[in-house]
Amino acid sequence: MTIEPLLMLRGVTKRFGGTTALDRVDFELRRGEIHALLGENGAGKSTLIKVLGGIHVPEHGTIEIEGRPTPIRTVADADRHGIRIIHQELSLAGNLSIAENIFLGREPSRFGWLRRGQMDRDAAALIASLGLVELEAADRARPDRKRQRLLGRLQGVRTPVSALSMAHQQLVEIARALSTQAKILVLDEPTSALSEAETEVLFATLRRLRDQGVGIIYISHRLEEILRLADRITVLRDGRAIGTQDAAKVNQRDLVRWMVGRDIADHFHRPAFRGGPIALEVRDLWGPRTFGVGFAVRYGEVFGLAGLVGAGRTELARLLFGIDPIQRGQVFVDGRPVRIAHPRDALNAGIVLVPEDRKREGLVMIQSVAFNLALPWVHEWITGCVPRGRRRRAIVDRAIREFGIRVANPEQCVAELSGGNQQKTLVARWTEHRPKVLILDEPTRGVDVGAREEMFAILNELVESGMAVVLISSDLAEVLHLSHRVALLRDGRLLRTVAAEEISLETMVAELTGAIAR
């Protein structure tokens, strides 16, 4: 039996100057289907969903919804036809309540007066339809007072969104989409900041929406998620649709080969450890969410910080870089005590942080690649008030060349780069004069398998050149297999430090979840 497509794109082409972002792309979404959209960064996924969302208008091709040609030239057009996109960076107003966010701009009113009671009742009904039963079961399986408090807050729809966990905020975002009678739901990297339990809640919600007839386009770099969740998979490469296949007929290796056009090793390459002197030592460090942590990192070593979401990994990195105040404890660099009260203190001591959120905390997104690469070294290419263009160009060109940043020209806006090239820009800008200690917080978040491989190669080069690296990642396999030693963190406390070769992934997970106590 032939199933009539809910959404059909035929020959969609979109160009930016001389660059073809989408090249005669065909794509089909059925009613009641979860359809995964895969591809390396820069393959055209973001452009495709922006075409669907009315942000970009294609030069050629047609869009059909329920068999009818449907021009989408504005965001309002997309909304009117039931297309809602939930981006990786959520667009909620943190100071407004759950109900106010769901009905923002469409608040029920009568004679000009807000009908708050009706709005709250409608919001509660929508939230309840999104799987709070499953969420509550997940919370009971892993008792945690904080999660229980958040659950209670979500049920109270007048609670400010800022008080909710990321998983709950995503449920609010989905509820807002469904409140507009969305037929087509597009999710871009929805699990990048979720724990395993929260991911299961989201998956249960998406399956329920699929059963209700909603068409879902799901974008993720996590291939194991795709194979568990999706009904069909379409792969883009270099702006072209390579093909579509039933998820049940492919495996991870097939997808990788399909995406990048070659095989990529399915294992990590830990850099050789040469056992240098201690670069960074932390003794009894206390902060807002860090409790008595101590460890040491040697030159030429990758020191992994492993923990589940909320374990305090990023909070520890923020202490070491002077973003959050150190309440107690000592930090030593090269055996000498250093006082870190501000990021400039950390930089002067030779400590650099590549933050988790490159768009909000790392790069100046409205500026060029050259601006971002030269920014930390202004004192070297500006004498008095006179810029030295040749010196600035040398800094920029060296970083682009050494890190293989793919850019049309150095003055291209960094926001136009793929996620992988943005990440390489963020790391490269600190290496004009190599830091002693490089803290990498989620260095492969939101990048594809090809860019991930390149980041691993860069990490190996930095470590083998003698740099000390502190690696933070929510991918526990990544931490385990790239690090020489691993510190296990839970609830802001250091459980223990262990050589990576002396612990298995299963044991690590068991200790971090509390299934095994030491």
Side-chain angles (χ1 to χ4, degrees), residues 282-288 290-293 319 325-331:
V282 174
R283 298 179 186 172
D284 193 31
L285 196 67
W286 292 74
T290 301
F291 310 107
V293 169
L319 287 180
I326 295 176
Q327 297 171 347
R328 198 170 79 205
Q330 292 179 297
V331 178

Coordinates of all heavy atoms in Angstrom, one line a residue, residues 282-288 290-293 319 325-331:
V282 N 45.8 20.6 41.7 CA 44.7 21.2 42.4 C 44.6 20.5 43.8 O 44.6 19.2 43.8 CB 43.3 21.0 41.6 CG1 42.2 21.5 42.5 CG2 43.4 21.7 40.3
R283 N 44.5 21.2 44.8 CA 44.4 20.7 46.2 C 43.2 21.2 46.9 O 43.0 22.4 47.1 CB 45.7 21.0 47.0 CG 47.0 20.5 46.4 CD 48.2 20.9 47.3 NE 49.4 20.5 46.7 CZ 50.6 20.9 47.2 NH1 50.7 21.7 48.3 NH2 51.7 20.5 46.6
D284 N 42.3 20.2 47.3 CA 41.2 20.5 48.2 C 40.4 21.8 47.7 O 40.1 22.7 48.4 CB 41.6 20.8 49.6 CG 40.5 20.8 50.6 OD1 39.5 20.1 50.3 OD2 40.6 21.5 51.6
L285 N 40.0 21.7 46.4 CA 39.3 22.8 45.8 C 37.8 22.8 46.1 O 37.1 21.8 45.9 CB 39.5 22.8 44.2 CG 39.2 24.1 43.5 CD1 40.2 25.2 43.9 CD2 39.3 23.8 42.0
W286 N 37.3 23.9 46.5 CA 35.9 24.1 46.8 C 35.3 25.3 46.0 O 36.0 26.3 45.9 CB 35.7 24.4 48.3 CG 36.0 23.2 49.2 CD1 37.2 22.7 49.5 CD2 35.0 22.4 49.9 NE1 37.1 21.6 50.3 CE2 35.8 21.4 50.6 CE3 33.6 22.3 49.9 CZ2 35.2 20.4 51.3 CZ3 33.0 21.3 50.7 CH2 33.8 20.4 51.4
G287 N 34.1 25.1 45.5 CA 33.4 26.2 44.8 C 31.9 26.0 45.0 O 31.5 25.2 45.9
P288 N 31.1 26.8 44.3 CA 29.6 26.7 44.5 C 29.1 25.2 44.4 O 28.1 24.9 45.0 CB 29.1 27.6 43.4 CG 30.2 28.6 43.2 CD 31.4 27.8 43.4
T290 N 31.5 22.5 43.8 CA 32.7 21.6 43.8 C 33.1 21.5 45.3 O 33.2 22.4 46.0 CB 33.8 22.2 43.0 OG1 33.4 22.4 41.6 CG2 35.1 21.4 43.0
F291 N 33.3 20.2 45.7 CA 33.5 19.9 47.1 C 34.8 19.2 47.3 O 34.9 17.9 47.2 CB 32.3 19.2 47.7 CG 31.0 19.8 47.3 CD1 30.2 19.2 46.4 CD2 30.6 21.0 47.9 CE1 29.0 19.8 46.0 CE2 29.4 21.6 47.6 CZ 28.6 21.0 46.6
G292 N 35.9 19.9 47.7 CA 37.1 19.2 48.1 C 37.8 18.4 47.0 O 38.4 17.4 47.3
V293 N 37.9 18.9 45.8 CA 38.5 18.1 44.7 C 40.0 18.3 44.6 O 40.5 19.5 44.8 CB 37.8 18.5 43.3 CG1 38.6 18.0 42.1 CG2 36.4 18.1 43.3
L319 N 35.8 27.0 37.6 CA 36.6 27.4 38.7 C 38.1 27.6 38.3 O 38.7 28.6 38.6 CB 36.6 26.4 39.8 CG 35.3 26.3 40.7 CD1 35.5 25.2 41.7 CD2 35.0 27.6 41.4
P325 N 33.9 31.8 41.4 CA 34.8 32.0 42.5 C 35.3 30.7 43.2 O 34.5 29.9 43.5 CB 34.1 32.9 43.5 CG 32.6 32.6 43.3 CD 32.5 32.3 41.8
I326 N 36.6 30.6 43.5 CA 37.1 29.6 44.3 C 36.9 29.9 45.8 O 37.4 31.0 46.2 CB 38.6 29.3 44.0 CG1 38.8 28.8 42.6 CG2 39.2 28.3 45.0 CD1 40.3 28.7 42.1
Q327 N 36.2 29.1 46.5 CA 35.9 29.4 47.9 C 37.0 29.0 48.8 O 37.3 29.6 49.8 CB 34.6 28.7 48.3 CG 33.4 29.2 47.5 CD 32.1 28.4 47.7 OE1 32.2 27.3 48.3 NE2 31.0 29.0 47.3
R328 N 37.7 27.9 48.4 CA 38.8 27.3 49.2 C 39.6 26.4 48.4 O 39.2 25.8 47.4 CB 38.2 26.6 50.4 CG 39.2 26.3 51.6 CD 38.4 25.8 52.8 NE 38.2 24.4 52.7 CZ 37.2 23.7 53.3 NH1 36.3 24.4 54.1 NH2 37.0 22.4 53.2
G329 N 40.9 26.2 48.8 CA 41.8 25.3 48.1 C 42.9 26.1 47.4 O 42.9 27.3 47.3
Q330 N 43.8 25.3 46.7 CA 44.9 25.8 46.1 C 45.1 25.3 44.7 O 44.8 24.1 44.4 CB 46.2 25.5 46.9 CG 46.3 26.3 48.2 CD 47.6 25.9 48.9 OE1 47.8 24.7 49.3 NE2 48.5 26.9 49.1
V331 N 45.6 26.1 43.8 CA 45.9 25.7 42.4 C 47.4 26.0 42.2 O 47.9 27.1 42.5 CB 45.1 26.5 41.4 CG1 45.4 26.1 40.0 CG2 43.6 26.2 41.6

